[in-house]
Amino acid sequence: MKKLLKSLVIAGVAVFAISACNKATQSTDTATAEETAAAAKTDIKIAYVQTDSLIAKFSFYKEKSGEITEKGKRYESELGTRARGFEQEVANFQQTATSMTMNQARAKEEELAKKQNNLVMYRDNLMRELSEDEAKLYADVYDQVQAYLTEYAKENGIDMILSYTRGGAVWYSDAAFDVTEKVLEGLNKKYEASKTAPAPAATPEKK
């Protein structure tokens, strides 16, 4: 009986030792896997672009912003012409108001007030239109830049491209990681190619 108990104890100790050894091996394997994964995560290829410079030199942005500027100048000229015409009409009324009857003067005042409101509404509409044009331009620019950066990153094996702007989140970056000029060159080439590409054929209407 004593020999049997001794054998069981020895067997139990052996099982415990084997179990502990297996757990230690598993723990070591897990730690090694985690370290490998961590090392893989830190092995990231990063680049950055100087966003302000990239947008300012992007041919699409320069062309479209120039068109918006010219449009703004035309609107400013039209608004100035209308404003001067209204001012002249007000000056004429002030000179002739004394020769008008009370009803005539009141009617003219109401007419001028209406014209003034229309002029203000016209100005506001022009400003709103220009503001919408600018908002759409920036949306289009960012869409095109983001799409190209995705292509550029895949072609060059880059995991992350940061946006560098003065006063932004990145305070320092090595110039070796700056891909602004390369991205700008490719972005402009792609835009120029899109302007010369044939337009897609119109789909015939179903009858």
Side-chain angles (χ1 to χ4, degrees):
M1 187 69 173
K2 290 182 180 180
K3 289 182 179 179
L4 178 61
L5 289 174
K6 186 175 181 181
S7 298
L8 290 175
V9 169
I10 292 172
V13 170
V15 169
F16 176 79
I18 292 171
S19 176
C21 184
N22 288 338
K23 287 182 179 178
T25 303
Q26 291 176 359
S27 177
T28 303
D29 291 343
T30 302
T32 303
E34 290 177 352
E35 289 174 0
T36 302
K41 287 181 181 178
T42 56
D43 187 20
I44 299 175
K45 188 175 181 182
I46 297 176
Y48 71 90
V49 293
Q50 298 182 39
T51 309
D52 294 341
S53 178
L54 182 66
I55 293 176
K57 295 179 181 179
F58 182 20
S59 298
F60 172 77
Y61 173 77
K62 290 195 291 185
E63 289 180 13
K64 299 304 178 183
S65 61
E67 291 174 6
I68 293 175
T69 299
E70 290 302 315
K71 187 177 183 179
K73 289 179 180 179
R74 290 198 309 270
Y75 283 176
E76 185 179 4
S77 177
E78 293 172 9
L79 183 61
T81 300
R82 293 195 181 197
R84 286 190 294 273
F86 175 73
E87 290 172 357
Q88 185 60 50
E89 194 170 353
V90 170
N92 292 339
F93 168 65
Q94 291 173 342
Q95 293 176 359
T96 59
T98 54
S99 61
M100 294 181 179
T101 64
M102 187 176 294
N103 289 337
Q104 288 176 330
R106 186 180 297 112
K108 187 62 178 178
E109 286 176 350
E110 290 176 355
E111 179 188 344
L112 291 173
K114 195 172 188 179
K115 286 185 176 182
Q116 183 179 29
N117 288 335
N118 290 339
L119 186 61
V120 171
M121 288 178 60
Y122 178 71
R123 180 203 63 191
D124 292 345
N125 288 337
L126 295 183
M127 293 177 66
R128 187 181 302 110
E129 183 179 336
L130 291 173
S131 180
E132 290 173 354
D133 287 347
E134 287 186 347
K136 184 179 184 305
L137 172 59
Y138 276 104
D140 290 344
V141 166
Y142 278 103
D143 286 345
Q144 291 187 46
V145 169
Q146 185 172 29
Y148 183 75
L149 286 178
T150 301
E151 295 176 10
Y152 183 85
K154 290 179 179 178
E155 290 173 358
N156 293 274
I158 299 174
D159 300 295
M160 185 182 297
I161 298 180
L162 303 175
S163 170
Y164 181 87
T165 55
R166 184 177 177 84
V170 181
W171 281 90
Y172 170 77
S173 55
D174 192 319
F177 297 107
D178 186 357
V179 295
T180 305
E181 292 302 321
K182 293 179 181 177
V183 169
L184 183 62
E185 181 181 357
L187 194 60
N188 284 335
K189 282 183 179 179
K190 185 175 181 180
Y191 173 61
E192 293 301 326
S194 70
K195 292 197 297 183
T196 57
T203 305
E205 296 182 1
K206 294 182 180 180
K207 296 183 179 180

